[in-house]
Amino acid sequence: MSARFRAATAADAAQIASMMERYVDCPWTEAQVKAEIENENALFFVADLGGKTIGFLSGVCAADECEISDIAVEDQYRRRKIGTSLFNLLLSGARARGVRSTFLLVRADNTPAKNLYEKLGFNAVGERKGYYNGTDAVIMRREI
């Protein structure tokens, strides 16, 4: 069985919030996830496997930019192109909205994530010292 990639719905909020608890430095509550899914400026996608959310990616578009908010893929499904597929959906959706560039922040010590973002065409353009509870963040950008 392979994952199905689709826009997130309010019904996905509980599973996404649960994943955030495990994988995101500043997790959102279920209510915050639901509000973001319903935000007209947001792009929010999930990877679904048999009714279980195994990955998600969210971003918020403003003017001609999109800020990638959060991404996570369950440990046992990593290195299977799920993150890449989610990014492709988001970038396509952003492009359709007239977005010209996307950016994100990543922990400086998160080498696997930085490698993925570089493969997707993101380049380091700056940093924020101590952004993640004392750990630096790398700002990465990609034109689309």
Coordinates of all heavy atoms in Angstrom, one line a residue, residues 26-125:
C26 N 8.0 23.4 18.6 CA 7.0 24.2 19.2 C 5.6 23.7 18.6 O 5.1 24.3 17.7 CB 7.1 25.6 18.8 SG 8.7 26.3 19.5
P27 N 5.1 22.5 19.1 CA 3.9 21.9 18.6 C 2.7 22.8 18.8 O 2.6 23.5 19.7 CB 3.8 20.6 19.3 CG 4.5 20.8 20.6 CD 5.6 21.8 20.3
W28 N 1.8 22.7 17.8 CA 0.5 23.4 17.9 C -0.5 22.5 18.6 O -0.4 21.2 18.5 CB 0.0 23.7 16.5 CG 0.9 24.6 15.7 CD1 1.9 25.3 16.1 CD2 0.8 24.8 14.3 NE1 2.5 26.0 15.1 CE2 1.8 25.7 14.0 CE3 -0.1 24.4 13.3 CZ2 2.0 26.2 12.7 CZ3 0.1 24.9 12.0 CH2 1.1 25.8 11.7
T29 N -1.6 23.1 19.1 CA -2.7 22.3 19.7 C -3.5 21.8 18.5 O -3.4 22.3 17.4 CB -3.5 23.1 20.6 OG1 -4.1 24.2 19.8 CG2 -2.7 23.7 21.8
E30 N -4.4 20.9 18.8 CA -5.4 20.5 17.8 C -6.2 21.6 17.2 O -6.4 21.7 16.0 CB -6.3 19.4 18.3 CG -7.3 18.8 17.3 CD -8.1 17.7 17.9 OE1 -7.8 17.1 18.9 OE2 -9.2 17.4 17.2
A31 N -6.6 22.5 18.1 CA -7.4 23.7 17.7 C -6.6 24.6 16.8 O -7.1 25.2 15.8 CB -7.9 24.5 18.9
Q32 N -5.3 24.8 17.1 CA -4.4 25.6 16.2 C -4.2 25.0 14.9 O -4.2 25.7 13.8 CB -3.1 25.8 16.9 CG -3.1 26.8 18.1 CD -1.9 26.8 18.9 OE1 -1.3 25.7 19.2 NE2 -1.4 28.0 19.3
V33 N -4.0 23.6 14.8 CA -3.9 22.9 13.6 C -5.1 23.1 12.7 O -5.1 23.5 11.5 CB -3.6 21.4 13.8 CG1 -3.6 20.7 12.5 CG2 -2.2 21.2 14.5
K34 N -6.3 22.9 13.3 CA -7.6 23.1 12.6 C -7.7 24.5 12.1 O -8.1 24.7 10.9 CB -8.7 22.7 13.5 CG -10.1 22.8 12.8 CD -11.2 22.4 13.7 CE -12.5 22.5 13.0 NZ -13.7 22.3 13.8
A35 N -7.4 25.5 12.9 CA -7.4 26.9 12.4 C -6.5 27.1 11.2 O -6.9 27.8 10.3 CB -7.1 27.8 13.6
E36 N -5.3 26.5 11.3 CA -4.4 26.7 10.2 C -4.9 26.0 8.9 O -4.8 26.6 7.8 CB -3.0 26.2 10.5 CG -1.9 26.6 9.6 CD -1.6 28.1 9.6 OE1 -2.1 28.9 10.3 OE2 -0.7 28.4 8.7
I37 N -5.4 24.8 9.0 CA -6.0 24.1 7.9 C -7.1 25.0 7.2 O -7.2 25.0 6.0 CB -6.6 22.7 8.3 CG1 -5.4 21.8 8.6 CG2 -7.5 22.1 7.2 CD1 -5.8 20.5 9.3
E38 N -7.9 25.7 8.0 CA -9.0 26.5 7.5 C -8.6 27.9 7.1 O -9.4 28.6 6.6 CB -10.1 26.5 8.6 CG -10.7 25.1 8.8 CD -11.7 25.1 10.0 OE1 -11.7 26.0 10.8 OE2 -12.4 24.0 10.1
N39 N -7.3 28.3 7.4 CA -6.8 29.6 7.0 C -6.7 29.7 5.5 O -6.0 28.9 4.9 CB -5.4 29.8 7.7 CG -4.8 31.1 7.3 OD1 -5.2 31.8 6.4 ND2 -3.7 31.4 8.0
E40 N -7.4 30.6 4.9 CA -7.4 30.8 3.4 C -6.0 31.1 2.9 O -5.8 30.9 1.7 CB -8.4 31.8 3.0 CG -8.1 33.2 3.4 CD -9.1 34.2 3.0 OE1 -10.3 33.9 2.9 OE2 -8.7 35.4 2.7
N41 N -5.1 31.6 3.7 CA -3.7 31.9 3.2 C -2.8 30.7 3.4 O -1.6 30.8 3.0 CB -3.2 33.1 3.9 CG -4.0 34.4 3.6 OD1 -4.3 34.6 2.4 ND2 -4.3 35.2 4.6
A42 N -3.2 29.6 4.0 CA -2.4 28.5 4.3 C -2.5 27.4 3.2 O -3.5 27.3 2.5 CB -2.7 27.9 5.6
L43 N -1.4 26.7 3.0 CA -1.4 25.5 2.2 C -1.0 24.4 3.2 O 0.0 24.5 3.9 CB -0.3 25.5 1.1 CG -0.6 26.6 0.0 CD1 0.6 26.8 -0.8 CD2 -1.8 26.1 -0.8
F44 N -1.8 23.3 3.3 CA -1.6 22.3 4.3 C -1.9 20.9 3.7 O -3.0 20.7 3.2 CB -2.5 22.5 5.5 CG -2.0 22.1 6.8 CD1 -2.0 23.0 7.9 CD2 -1.5 20.8 7.0 CE1 -1.5 22.6 9.2 CE2 -1.0 20.5 8.3 CZ -1.0 21.4 9.3
F45 N -0.9 20.1 3.6 CA -1.0 18.8 3.0 C -0.6 17.7 3.9 O 0.2 17.8 4.8 CB -0.2 18.7 1.7 CG -0.6 19.8 0.7 CD1 0.1 21.0 0.6 CD2 -1.6 19.5 -0.2 CE1 -0.3 21.9 -0.3 CE2 -2.0 20.5 -1.1 CZ -1.3 21.7 -1.2
V46 N -1.2 16.5 3.7 CA -0.9 15.3 4.5 C -0.6 14.1 3.5 O -1.0 14.1 2.4 CB -2.0 14.9 5.4 CG1 -2.3 15.9 6.5 CG2 -3.3 14.5 4.6
A47 N 0.2 13.2 4.1 CA 0.4 11.9 3.5 C -0.4 10.9 4.3 O -0.2 10.9 5.5 CB 1.9 11.5 3.5
D48 N -1.3 10.2 3.7 CA -2.2 9.4 4.4 C -2.0 7.9 3.9 O -1.8 7.6 2.8 CB -3.6 9.8 4.0 CG -4.7 9.0 4.6 OD1 -4.9 7.8 4.1 OD2 -5.5 9.5 5.4
L49 N -1.9 7.0 4.9 CA -1.7 5.6 4.6 C -2.8 4.8 5.3 O -2.7 4.7 6.6 CB -0.3 5.2 5.0 CG 0.1 3.7 4.6 CD1 0.1 3.5 3.1 CD2 1.4 3.4 5.2
G50 N -3.7 4.4 4.6 CA -4.8 3.6 5.2 C -5.6 4.4 6.3 O -6.0 3.8 7.3
G51 N -5.8 5.7 6.1 CA -6.5 6.5 7.1 C -5.6 7.0 8.2 O -6.1 7.8 9.1
K52 N -4.3 6.7 8.2 CA -3.4 7.3 9.2 C -2.5 8.3 8.6 O -1.9 8.1 7.5 CB -2.6 6.1 9.8 CG -1.6 6.6 10.9 CD -0.7 5.4 11.3 CE 0.2 5.7 12.5 NZ 1.0 6.8 12.4
T53 N -2.4 9.5 9.2 CA -1.5 10.5 8.8 C -0.1 10.1 9.1 O 0.2 9.9 10.3 CB -1.9 11.9 9.4 OG1 -3.2 12.2 9.0 CG2 -0.9 12.9 9.0
I54 N 0.7 10.0 8.1 CA 2.1 9.6 8.3 C 3.1 10.7 8.0 O 4.3 10.6 8.2 CB 2.5 8.3 7.5 CG1 2.4 8.5 6.0 CG2 1.7 7.1 8.0 CD1 3.0 7.4 5.1
G55 N 2.6 11.8 7.5 CA 3.4 13.0 7.2 C 2.5 14.2 6.9 O 1.3 14.0 6.6
F56 N 3.1 15.4 7.1 CA 2.3 16.6 6.8 C 3.3 17.7 6.5 O 4.5 17.6 6.9 CB 1.4 17.0 8.0 CG 2.1 17.5 9.2 CD1 2.5 18.8 9.3 CD2 2.4 16.6 10.2 CE1 3.2 19.2 10.5 CE2 3.1 17.0 11.3 CZ 3.5 18.3 11.5
L57 N 2.8 18.7 5.8 CA 3.6 19.9 5.5 C 2.6 21.1 5.4 O 1.6 21.0 4.8 CB 4.3 19.7 4.2 CG 5.1 20.9 3.6 CD1 6.2 21.3 4.5 CD2 5.6 20.6 2.2
S58 N 3.0 22.2 6.1 CA 2.2 23.4 6.0 C 3.0 24.6 5.7 O 4.2 24.7 6.0 CB 1.5 23.6 7.3 OG 2.4 23.9 8.4
G59 N 2.3 25.6 5.1 CA 3.0 26.9 4.7 C 1.9 27.9 4.7 O 0.7 27.7 4.5
V60 N 2.3 29.2 4.8 CA 1.4 30.3 4.7 C 1.9 31.3 3.7 O 3.1 31.6 3.6 CB 1.3 31.1 6.1 CG1 0.5 32.3 6.0 CG2 0.8 30.1 7.2
C61 N 1.0 31.6 2.8 CA 1.4 32.5 1.7 C 0.9 33.9 2.0 O -0.2 34.2 2.5 CB 0.7 32.0 0.4 SG 1.1 30.4 -0.1
A62 N 1.8 34.9 1.7 CA 1.5 36.3 1.8 C 2.2 37.0 0.6 O 3.4 36.8 0.4 CB 2.0 36.9 3.1
A63 N 1.4 37.8 -0.1 CA 2.0 38.5 -1.3 C 2.6 37.4 -2.2 O 1.9 36.4 -2.6 CB 2.9 39.6 -0.9
D64 N 3.9 37.6 -2.5 CA 4.5 36.6 -3.5 C 5.5 35.7 -2.8 O 6.4 35.1 -3.4 CB 5.2 37.3 -4.6 CG 6.4 38.2 -4.1 OD1 6.5 38.4 -2.9 OD2 7.1 38.7 -5.0
E65 N 5.3 35.5 -1.4 CA 6.2 34.6 -0.7 C 5.3 33.5 0.1 O 4.2 33.8 0.4 CB 6.9 35.4 0.4 CG 8.1 36.1 -0.1 CD 8.9 36.6 1.1 OE1 8.4 37.0 2.2 OE2 10.2 36.6 0.9
C66 N 5.9 32.4 0.3 CA 5.3 31.4 1.2 C 6.3 30.9 2.2 O 7.5 30.6 1.9 CB 4.9 30.2 0.3 SG 4.1 28.9 1.2
E67 N 5.9 31.0 3.5 CA 6.8 30.6 4.6 C 6.4 29.1 4.9 O 5.2 28.9 5.3 CB 6.7 31.4 5.8 CG 7.5 30.9 6.9 CD 7.4 31.8 8.2 OE1 6.7 32.7 8.2 OE2 8.2 31.5 9.2
I68 N 7.3 28.2 4.8 CA 7.0 26.8 5.2 C 7.0 26.8 6.8 O 7.9 27.2 7.4 CB 8.1 25.9 4.7 CG1 8.3 26.0 3.2 CG2 7.8 24.4 5.2 CD1 7.2 25.7 2.4
S69 N 5.9 26.4 7.3 CA 5.7 26.4 8.8 C 6.2 25.2 9.4 O 7.1 25.3 10.3 CB 4.2 26.5 9.1 OG 3.6 27.6 8.4
D70 N 5.7 24.0 9.0 CA 6.2 22.8 9.7 C 6.1 21.6 8.7 O 5.2 21.6 7.8 CB 5.2 22.5 10.9 CG 5.5 23.3 12.1 OD1 6.7 23.3 12.6 OD2 4.7 24.1 12.5
I71 N 7.0 20.7 8.9 CA 6.9 19.4 8.2 C 7.3 18.3 9.2 O 8.2 18.5 10.0 CB 7.9 19.4 7.0 CG1 7.8 18.1 6.2 CG2 9.3 19.8 7.4 CD1 8.6 18.0 4.9
A72 N 6.7 17.2 9.0 CA 7.1 16.0 9.8 C 6.7 14.7 9.0 O 5.6 14.7 8.3 CB 6.5 16.0 11.1
V73 N 7.5 13.7 9.1 CA 7.2 12.4 8.5 C 7.5 11.4 9.6 O 8.6 11.5 10.3 CB 8.0 12.1 7.2 CG1 7.8 10.7 6.8 CG2 7.7 13.1 6.1
E74 N 6.6 10.5 9.9 CA 6.8 9.4 10.9 C 8.1 8.7 10.6 O 8.5 8.4 9.4 CB 5.7 8.4 10.9 CG 4.3 8.9 11.3 CD 4.2 9.1 12.8 OE1 5.2 8.8 13.6 OE2 3.1 9.5 13.3
D75 N 8.9 8.4 11.7 CA 10.2 7.8 11.5 C 10.3 6.7 10.6 O 11.1 6.6 9.7 CB 10.7 7.4 12.9 CG 11.2 8.5 13.8 OD1 11.5 9.6 13.3 OD2 11.1 8.3 15.0
Q76 N 9.3 5.7 10.7 CA 9.4 4.5 9.9 C 9.1 4.7 8.4 O 9.3 3.8 7.6 CB 8.5 3.4 10.5 CG 7.0 3.7 10.5 CD 6.5 4.4 11.7 OE1 7.2 5.2 12.3 NE2 5.3 4.1 12.1
Y77 N 8.7 5.9 8.1 CA 8.3 6.2 6.7 C 9.3 7.2 6.0 O 9.1 7.6 4.9 CB 6.9 6.7 6.5 CG 5.9 5.7 7.0 CD1 5.3 5.8 8.2 CD2 5.6 4.6 6.2 CE1 4.4 4.8 8.6 CE2 4.7 3.6 6.6 CZ 4.1 3.7 7.8 OH 3.2 2.8 8.2
R78 N 10.4 7.5 6.7 CA 11.3 8.5 6.2 C 12.2 7.8 5.1 O 12.3 6.6 5.1 CB 12.2 9.0 7.3 CG 11.4 9.9 8.2 CD 12.2 10.6 9.3 NE 11.4 11.4 10.1 CZ 11.7 12.0 11.2 NH1 13.0 11.9 11.6 NH2 10.9 12.7 11.9
R79 N 12.8 8.6 4.3 CA 13.6 8.2 3.2 C 12.9 7.4 2.1 O 13.4 6.5 1.5 CB 14.8 7.4 3.7 CG 15.6 8.2 4.7 CD 16.9 7.6 5.1 NE 17.9 7.6 4.1 CZ 18.7 8.6 3.8 NH1 18.6 9.8 4.5 NH2 19.6 8.6 2.8
R80 N 11.6 7.8 2.0 CA 10.7 7.1 1.0 C 10.1 8.2 0.1 O 9.0 7.9 -0.5 CB 9.6 6.3 1.6 CG 10.1 5.1 2.4 CD 9.0 4.3 3.0 NE 9.5 3.3 3.9 CZ 8.7 2.4 4.5 NH1 7.5 2.4 4.2 NH2 9.2 1.6 5.3
K81 N 10.7 9.4 0.0 CA 10.2 10.5 -0.8 C 8.9 11.1 -0.4 O 8.2 11.8 -1.1 CB 10.1 10.0 -2.3 CG 11.4 9.4 -2.9 CD 12.3 10.5 -3.3 CE 13.5 9.9 -4.0 NZ 14.7 10.6 -3.7
I82 N 8.4 10.8 0.8 CA 7.2 11.4 1.3 C 7.4 12.9 1.5 O 6.5 13.7 1.1 CB 6.7 10.7 2.6 CG1 6.3 9.3 2.3 CG2 5.6 11.5 3.3 CD1 6.0 8.4 3.4
G83 N 8.5 13.3 2.1 CA 8.7 14.8 2.3 C 8.8 15.5 1.0 O 8.2 16.5 0.8
T84 N 9.5 14.8 0.0 CA 9.6 15.4 -1.3 C 8.2 15.6 -2.0 O 7.9 16.6 -2.6 CB 10.5 14.5 -2.2 OG1 11.8 14.5 -1.6 CG2 10.7 15.1 -3.6
S85 N 7.4 14.5 -1.9 CA 6.1 14.6 -2.5 C 5.2 15.7 -1.9 O 4.5 16.4 -2.5 CB 5.4 13.2 -2.3 OG 6.1 12.3 -3.1
L86 N 5.3 15.8 -0.5 CA 4.6 16.9 0.2 C 5.1 18.3 -0.3 O 4.3 19.2 -0.6 CB 4.7 16.8 1.7 CG 4.0 15.6 2.3 CD1 4.4 15.3 3.7 CD2 2.5 15.8 2.3
F87 N 6.4 18.4 -0.4 CA 6.9 19.7 -0.9 C 6.5 20.0 -2.3 O 6.1 21.1 -2.7 CB 8.5 19.7 -0.8 CG 9.0 20.4 0.4 CD1 9.4 19.7 1.5 CD2 9.0 21.8 0.4 CE1 9.9 20.3 2.6 CE2 9.5 22.5 1.5 CZ 9.9 21.7 2.6
N88 N 6.5 19.0 -3.2 CA 6.0 19.2 -4.6 C 4.6 19.7 -4.6 O 4.3 20.6 -5.4 CB 6.2 18.0 -5.4 CG 7.7 17.7 -5.7 OD1 8.5 18.6 -5.6 ND2 8.0 16.4 -6.0
L89 N 3.7 19.1 -3.8 CA 2.3 19.6 -3.7 C 2.3 21.1 -3.2 O 1.6 21.9 -3.8 CB 1.5 18.8 -2.7 CG 0.8 17.5 -3.2 CD1 0.2 16.8 -2.1 CD2 -0.2 17.9 -4.3
L90 N 3.0 21.4 -2.2 CA 3.0 22.7 -1.6 C 3.5 23.7 -2.6 O 2.9 24.8 -2.9 CB 3.7 22.8 -0.3 CG 3.6 24.2 0.4 CD1 3.3 24.0 1.8 CD2 4.8 25.0 0.2
L91 N 4.6 23.4 -3.3 CA 5.2 24.3 -4.2 C 4.3 24.6 -5.4 O 4.2 25.7 -5.9 CB 6.6 23.8 -4.7 CG 7.7 23.8 -3.6 CD1 8.9 23.1 -4.1 CD2 8.0 25.2 -3.1
S92 N 3.6 23.5 -5.9 CA 2.7 23.7 -7.0 C 1.5 24.6 -6.5 O 1.1 25.4 -7.3 CB 2.2 22.3 -7.4 OG 1.2 22.4 -8.4
G93 N 1.0 24.3 -5.3 CA -0.1 25.2 -4.8 C 0.3 26.6 -4.6 O -0.4 27.5 -4.9
A94 N 1.5 26.8 -4.2 CA 2.1 28.2 -4.0 C 2.2 28.9 -5.3 O 1.8 30.0 -5.5 CB 3.4 28.1 -3.2
R95 N 2.8 28.2 -6.3 CA 3.0 28.7 -7.6 C 1.6 29.2 -8.2 O 1.5 30.2 -8.8 CB 3.7 27.7 -8.5 CG 4.2 28.3 -9.8 CD 5.0 27.2 -10.6 NE 6.1 26.6 -9.9 CZ 6.2 25.4 -9.5 NH1 5.2 24.6 -9.6 NH2 7.3 25.0 -8.9
A96 N 0.6 28.3 -8.0 CA -0.7 28.7 -8.5 C -1.3 29.9 -7.9 O -2.2 30.6 -8.4 CB -1.7 27.5 -8.3
R97 N -0.8 30.3 -6.7 CA -1.3 31.5 -6.0 C -0.4 32.7 -6.3 O -0.6 33.8 -5.7 CB -1.2 31.3 -4.5 CG -2.3 30.3 -4.0 CD -2.2 30.1 -2.5 NE -3.2 29.2 -2.0 CZ -3.7 29.2 -0.8 NH1 -3.4 30.2 0.0 NH2 -4.6 28.3 -0.4
G98 N 0.5 32.5 -7.2 CA 1.4 33.6 -7.6 C 2.6 33.8 -6.7 O 3.3 34.8 -6.8
V99 N 2.9 32.8 -5.9 CA 4.1 32.9 -5.1 C 5.3 32.8 -5.9 O 5.4 32.0 -6.9 CB 4.1 31.8 -4.0 CG1 5.4 31.6 -3.3 CG2 2.9 32.1 -3.0
R100 N 6.4 33.6 -5.6 CA 7.6 33.5 -6.4 C 8.8 33.0 -5.6 O 9.8 32.5 -6.2 CB 7.9 34.9 -6.9 CG 6.9 35.5 -7.8 CD 6.9 37.0 -8.0 NE 8.2 37.4 -8.5 CZ 8.4 37.8 -9.8 NH1 7.4 37.8 -10.6 NH2 9.5 38.3 -10.1
S101 N 8.7 33.0 -4.3 CA 9.7 32.4 -3.5 C 9.2 31.8 -2.2 O 8.1 32.2 -1.7 CB 10.8 33.4 -3.1 OG 10.4 34.4 -2.3
T102 N 9.9 30.8 -1.7 CA 9.5 30.1 -0.4 C 10.7 30.2 0.5 O 11.8 30.2 0.1 CB 9.0 28.7 -0.6 OG1 10.1 28.0 -1.2 CG2 7.8 28.6 -1.5
F103 N 10.4 30.2 1.8 CA 11.5 30.1 2.8 C 11.1 29.3 4.0 O 9.9 29.1 4.2 CB 12.0 31.5 3.1 CG 11.0 32.3 3.9 CD1 11.1 32.4 5.3 CD2 10.0 33.1 3.3 CE1 10.2 33.1 6.1 CE2 9.1 33.8 4.1 CZ 9.2 33.8 5.5
L104 N 12.1 28.9 4.7 CA 11.8 28.1 5.9 C 13.0 28.3 6.9 O 14.1 28.8 6.5 CB 11.7 26.6 5.6 CG 12.8 25.9 4.8 CD1 13.9 25.5 5.7 CD2 12.2 24.7 4.0
L105 N 12.8 27.9 8.1 CA 13.8 27.8 9.1 C 14.0 26.4 9.5 O 13.1 25.6 9.6 CB 13.5 28.7 10.4 CG 13.7 30.2 10.2 CD1 12.7 30.8 9.3 CD2 13.6 30.8 11.6
V106 N 15.3 26.0 9.7 CA 15.6 24.6 10.1 C 16.7 24.7 11.2 O 17.6 25.6 11.1 CB 16.1 23.8 8.9 CG1 17.3 24.4 8.2 CG2 16.3 22.4 9.3
R107 N 16.6 23.8 12.1 CA 17.7 23.7 13.2 C 19.0 23.5 12.5 O 19.2 22.7 11.6 CB 17.4 22.6 14.1 CG 16.3 22.8 15.1 CD 16.0 21.6 15.9 NE 17.2 21.3 16.8 CZ 17.2 21.7 18.1 NH1 16.1 22.3 18.6 NH2 18.2 21.5 18.8
A108 N 20.0 24.3 12.9 CA 21.4 24.2 12.3 C 21.9 22.8 12.5 O 22.7 22.4 11.7 CB 22.3 25.2 13.0
D109 N 21.5 22.0 13.5 CA 22.0 20.7 13.7 C 21.2 19.6 13.1 O 21.4 18.4 13.3 CB 22.2 20.4 15.2 CG 20.9 20.5 16.0 OD1 19.8 20.8 15.5 OD2 21.0 20.4 17.3
N110 N 20.2 20.0 12.3 CA 19.3 19.0 11.7 C 19.8 18.7 10.3 O 19.2 19.1 9.3 CB 17.9 19.4 11.7 CG 16.9 18.4 11.3 OD1 17.3 17.4 10.7 ND2 15.6 18.6 11.5
T111 N 20.9 17.9 10.2 CA 21.5 17.6 8.9 C 20.6 16.9 7.9 O 20.5 17.3 6.7 CB 22.8 16.9 9.1 OG1 23.7 17.7 9.9 CG2 23.5 16.6 7.8
P112 N 19.8 15.9 8.3 CA 18.9 15.2 7.4 C 17.9 16.2 6.7 O 17.7 16.2 5.5 CB 18.2 14.2 8.2 CG 19.1 13.9 9.3 CD 19.8 15.2 9.6
A113 N 17.4 17.1 7.5 CA 16.4 18.1 7.0 C 17.1 19.0 6.0 O 16.6 19.3 4.9 CB 15.7 18.8 8.1
K114 N 18.2 19.5 6.4 CA 19.0 20.5 5.6 C 19.3 19.8 4.2 O 19.2 20.4 3.2 CB 20.2 21.0 6.3 CG 19.9 22.0 7.4 CD 21.1 22.7 7.9 CE 22.2 21.7 8.4 NZ 23.3 22.4 9.0
N115 N 19.7 18.6 4.3 CA 20.0 17.8 3.1 C 18.8 17.7 2.1 O 18.9 17.9 0.9 CB 20.6 16.4 3.4 CG 22.0 16.5 3.9 OD1 22.7 17.5 3.8 ND2 22.4 15.4 4.6
L116 N 17.7 17.4 2.7 CA 16.4 17.3 1.9 C 16.1 18.7 1.3 O 15.9 18.8 0.1 CB 15.2 16.9 2.8 CG 13.8 17.0 2.2 CD1 13.7 16.1 1.0 CD2 12.8 16.8 3.2
Y117 N 16.2 19.7 2.1 CA 15.9 21.1 1.5 C 16.8 21.5 0.4 O 16.4 22.1 -0.6 CB 15.8 22.1 2.7 CG 14.9 21.8 3.8 CD1 15.2 22.1 5.1 CD2 13.7 21.0 3.6 CE1 14.3 21.8 6.1 CE2 12.9 20.7 4.6 CZ 13.2 21.1 5.9 OH 12.3 20.8 6.9
E118 N 18.1 21.1 0.6 CA 19.1 21.4 -0.5 C 18.7 20.7 -1.7 O 18.8 21.2 -2.8 CB 20.5 21.2 0.0 CG 21.0 22.2 1.0 CD 22.3 21.8 1.7 OE1 22.9 20.7 1.4 OE2 22.7 22.6 2.5
K119 N 18.4 19.4 -1.6 CA 18.0 18.6 -2.8 C 16.8 19.2 -3.5 O 16.6 19.0 -4.7 CB 17.7 17.1 -2.4 CG 18.9 16.3 -2.1 CD 18.5 14.9 -1.7 CE 19.8 14.2 -1.2 NZ 19.4 12.8 -0.7
L120 N 15.9 19.9 -2.7 CA 14.7 20.5 -3.2 C 15.0 21.9 -3.8 O 14.1 22.5 -4.2 CB 13.6 20.5 -2.2 CG 13.0 19.2 -1.7 CD1 12.2 19.3 -0.5 CD2 12.2 18.6 -2.9
G121 N 16.2 22.3 -3.7 CA 16.6 23.6 -4.3 C 16.6 24.8 -3.4 O 16.8 25.9 -3.8
F122 N 16.5 24.5 -2.1 CA 16.6 25.6 -1.1 C 18.1 25.9 -0.8 O 18.9 25.0 -0.8 CB 15.9 25.2 0.2 CG 14.4 25.2 0.2 CD1 13.7 24.2 -0.4 CD2 13.8 26.3 0.7 CE1 12.3 24.2 -0.4 CE2 12.4 26.4 0.6 CZ 11.7 25.3 0.1
N123 N 18.4 27.1 -0.6 CA 19.8 27.6 -0.3 C 19.8 28.3 1.0 O 18.8 29.1 1.3 CB 20.3 28.5 -1.4 CG 20.5 27.7 -2.7 OD1 21.2 26.7 -2.8 ND2 19.8 28.2 -3.7
A124 N 20.8 28.2 1.8 CA 21.0 28.9 3.1 C 21.2 30.4 2.7 O 22.1 30.7 1.9 CB 22.1 28.3 3.9
V125 N 20.4 31.3 3.4 CA 20.6 32.7 3.1 C 20.8 33.5 4.4 O 21.0 34.7 4.3 CB 19.3 33.2 2.4 CG1 19.2 32.6 1.0 CG2 18.1 33.1 3.2

